[in-house]
Amino acid sequence: MHHASGRRFRQWFAAGMLVASLTSMGAMAQGALPASGLGQSWPNAADVSASPHWHVYVFERHGVRYVQINDLGGKVRAAFAASGGHFLTLPVGSDAARVATPEEPLAVSGSTAGDIVYQDSSVKVLVAPQANGTTSTYVAAGDCHDPIECSSRFQ
């Protein structure tokens, strides 16, 4: 009897793996965003940057969108997660401590001019170079027209 239950387990496992692979292939065929590569210099994802000065990669998993900003050399500068109008700065990249969101505003200092590097229906991202060579990234909800104003007004 032990042998029959082992065979049944292998059959169920094989069927489950087939279903999982077909499901993931279907999601990719429908244009789903990749769910891996976050934190890498050159992830296997499309560069969706709206600026020629930055690389932006977007990943999605379980309804959470992850946005990563890299410089032109591939150095990861910052990343955050967005879901349902809420944002969470991820501890990824050399400028991670300088990401402003409505939940985690930064005191605006230095340059407030910058590049809108990414925008979709729920997120707008501006990267502002600072005098000391770092950058500040300002993230705002999609209904905000000025990420710096929207990030700093929540202080």
Side-chain angles (χ1 to χ4, degrees):
M1 218 192 267
H2 178 67
H3 184 64
S5 64
R7 185 176 24 191
R8 196 171 313 126
F9 171 77
R10 284 191 301 274
Q11 289 173 335
W12 279 104
F13 180 76
M17 293 302 291
L18 177 63
V19 169
S21 67
L22 291 175
T23 301
S24 65
M25 286 172 48
M28 293 303 281
Q30 295 173 5
L33 295 171
S36 65
L38 182 66
Q40 296 178 359
S41 292
W42 305 107
N44 188 17
D47 182 353
V48 296
S49 180
S51 167
H53 307 290
W54 299 94
H55 296 290
V56 177
Y57 305 99
V58 178
F59 308 89
E60 191 165 320
R61 186 170 191 165
H62 302 297
V64 178
R65 184 162 285 196
Y66 301 89
V67 179
Q68 175 178 310
I69 299 103
N70 290 13
D71 64 21
L72 290 179
K75 182 177 182 181
V76 179
R77 302 301 291 259
F80 64 91
S83 180
H86 298 282
F87 303 94
L88 174 66
T89 302
L90 301 177
V92 174
S94 59
D95 295 322
R98 290 175 293 282
V99 176
T101 67
E103 290 89 355
E104 300 176 86
L106 289 177
V108 177
S109 63
S111 174
T112 57
D115 288 332
I116 297 289
V117 298
Y118 178 73
Q119 184 172 354
D120 65 22
S121 62
S122 60
V123 177
K124 184 181 274 189
V125 182
L126 177 131
V127 175
Q130 303 299 302
N132 65 2
T134 63
T135 60
S136 291
T137 303
Y138 300 95
V139 179
D143 61 351
C144 175
H145 299 290
D146 181 355
I148 293 173
E149 177 188 318
C150 296
S151 295
S152 61
R153 74 177 166 187
F154 292 99
Q155 294 182 41

